[in-house]
Amino acid sequence: MSNEMSGDALLQLVREDLRGFAGYASARTYDVKGEVWLNANESPWANPADANGSSRRYPEPQPPALREALARLYDCRPEQLLVGRGSDEAIDLLVRALCVPGRDAIVATPPVFGMYSVSARLQGAPLLAVPLVDGEAGFGVDLEAVAIAAEQGNAKLVFLCSPSNPTGGSVPLDGIAALATRLHGRALVVVDEAYGEFSDQPSATTLMETHANVAVLRTLSKAHALAAARIGTLIAEPALVRVLRACKAPYPVPTPCAELAVAGLSDEALARTRARVAQVRSERSRLQQGLATLPGVVRVYPSDGNYLLVRFADAGDAFARLLAAGVVVRDQRAAAQLGDALRITIGSPEQNDRVLAALVAKEAAA
Ligand SMILES: Cc1ncc(COP(=O)(O)O)c(C=O)c1O
């Protein structure tokens, strides 16, 4: 299938009323040259707090140096990227651009990251929930049930989280490919790889050449340690990226954040990121083993992310013990299937020791 043809098929998934939408034409949209910029009502002088003077003017809508650094990082072309305020913004944009309120649904696989259903709710898009299946190898996606739900429920978007938050498992690439083939012309399969750096599985971007209806979400918030910069990336077919760019906020990436992110993606910074990821992975094994030996722990799920999902005999008590030791973890008890579970982010070796000590102390005290 030529790229042009696959792009055309994909555009059929976009809301009819947005297919030719040009969006807001900001002062930065026009490709003109000049020396004196008096077209955006900016200040001619910098704020004294703005040391390098880069914040006086509005940013580029998609800062080119950042896009190029991200294209290198994710091994794709700059025109496949949409950079925004965290991957949260890309999730929201996808739902808004593809789903007609009250008609077009999204599929999500609870227990899973909550923003897919929040964005659907805000857009008035029906949510089709296909629960994860708790098996011997951990929680997994029932891809057949996902396909049926999408086909029967008029879904435009299927969100697969891989590695999945909070359950930790990855969705096999061959399963994603088969789902995308089955939903071709019907739905976009969005693979959220916020935790991809911590996993051994190759990125679903490797499927995009043959499956135009696969899109991938990445973020600098986790492995790259830049959560406050709010840099998230959607990687998708360029035709879809062009439509989403028209729908996005005019300047979603503040200049100080773009500068920080470009510096955080230098060769030297990336080498440090790889070292941090290796340490998280080794701490993940150590914490997993340490927790598994505690009698109050019912199950520690295998994880490809930087967190562990743990079932306790008394999760409320474990949460309180950790809190009393100054350790805050994520209480999952309100989530479907997780009434006895906590999600523990992998910390530094000292922080992980503190987790184990707090829970061991419980056993000693009991
Ligand atoms: C699975 C998943 N996707 C996306 C995000 C949002 O990340 P960002 O900081 O890029 O908005 C998170 C944040 O926790 C997440 O767990």
Side-chain angles (χ1 to χ4, degrees):
M1 200 185 310
S2 81
N3 275 348
E4 213 169 293
M5 267 179 70
S6 52
D8 283 352
L10 201 58
L11 285 184
Q12 298 306 309
L13 300 179
V14 171
R15 273 168 44 189
E16 297 85 334
D17 55 316
L18 291 182
R19 280 178 207 156
F21 182 48
Y24 173 64
S26 72
R28 286 296 218 182
T29 314
Y30 301 103
D31 188 17
V32 285
K33 302 227 177 316
E35 286 156 23
V36 180
W37 293 91
L38 301 177
N39 65 339
N41 301 346
E42 297 150 336
S43 166
W45 304 285
N47 186 296
D50 177 15
N52 66 5
S54 65
S55 291
R56 181 178 69 79
R57 301 200 56 217
Y58 283 99
E60 294 282 348
Q62 294 281 279
L66 178 58
R67 276 176 82 213
E68 273 154 34
L70 290 167
R72 268 196 307 280
L73 180 68
Y74 300 134
D75 195 20
C76 57
R77 290 171 284 128
E79 60 269 26
Q80 292 177 288
L81 302 185
L82 182 84
V83 190
R85 288 171 304 212
S87 30
D88 288 340
E89 184 178 38
I91 293 166
D92 191 54
L93 266 180
L94 282 167
V95 176
R96 279 197 284 149
L98 270 65
C99 297
V100 172
R103 187 188 80 185
D104 300 324
I106 74 145
V107 178
T109 58
V112 75
F113 180 56
M115 282 308 290
Y116 319 129
S117 60
V118 167
S119 293
R121 173 91 182 262
L122 287 168
Q123 179 68 0
L127 168 68
L128 305 171
V130 179
L132 292 178
V133 179
D134 189 4
E136 241 169 64
F139 279 95
V141 177
D142 181 346
L143 287 166
E144 177 63 20
V146 165
I148 292 170
E151 285 165 351
Q152 296 184 350
N154 200 30
K156 281 283 180 61
L157 285 163
V158 172
F159 286 99
L160 298 176
C161 192
S162 182
S164 200
N165 174 16
T167 48
S170 297
V171 188
L173 277 192
D174 55 352
I176 298 173
L179 181 70
T181 301
R182 185 156 161 189
L183 297 181
H184 174 77
R186 217 181 241 282
L188 183 71
V189 178
V190 183
V191 187
D192 185 343
E193 297 181 352
Y195 302 95
E197 290 86 351
F198 302 104
S199 159
D200 288 328
Q201 176 161 294
S203 169
T205 52
T206 53
L207 303 175
M208 287 172 52
E209 191 70 27
T210 45
H211 298 83
N213 63 331
V214 169
V216 171
L217 292 166
R218 303 296 302 249
T219 180
L220 299 188
S221 298
K222 310 294 180 182
H224 294 274
L226 289 173
R230 308 302 303 125
I231 305 290
T233 305
L234 173 76
I235 308 166
E237 179 69 25
L240 178 64
V241 169
R242 280 194 292 276
V243 171
L244 295 173
R245 273 183 170 209
C247 300
K248 69 167 181 35
Y251 314 103
V253 186
T255 300
C257 297
E259 289 175 349
L260 178 62
V262 169
L265 295 176
S266 68
D267 288 346
E268 195 194 332
L270 285 176
R272 302 269 290 271
T273 296
R274 284 191 288 275
R276 282 195 311 276
V277 167
Q279 190 167 21
V280 165
R281 287 170 53 119
S282 96
E283 280 296 297
R284 182 174 70 194
S285 309
R286 186 175 75 87
L287 188 60
Q288 184 163 24
Q289 285 160 20
L291 288 167
T293 60
L294 298 180
V297 169
V298 173
R299 184 166 186 194
V300 187
Y301 284 86
S303 174
D304 290 339
N306 66 339
Y307 47 85
L308 290 171
L309 182 71
V310 187
R311 290 195 193 275
F312 290 89
D314 186 344
D317 183 63
F319 187 79
R321 291 263 165 191
L322 287 163
L323 210 51
V327 179
V328 186
V329 299
R330 191 68 176 250
D331 190 349
Q332 296 290 337
R333 286 176 295 161
Q337 303 191 65
L338 300 183
D340 57 356
L342 305 178
R343 188 197 67 194
I344 306 175
T345 301
I346 310 299
S348 66
E350 298 71 29
Q351 292 168 343
N352 301 330
D353 284 344
R354 207 156 143 176
V355 167
L356 290 169
L359 295 170
V360 168
K362 169 186 159 36
E363 300 313 325

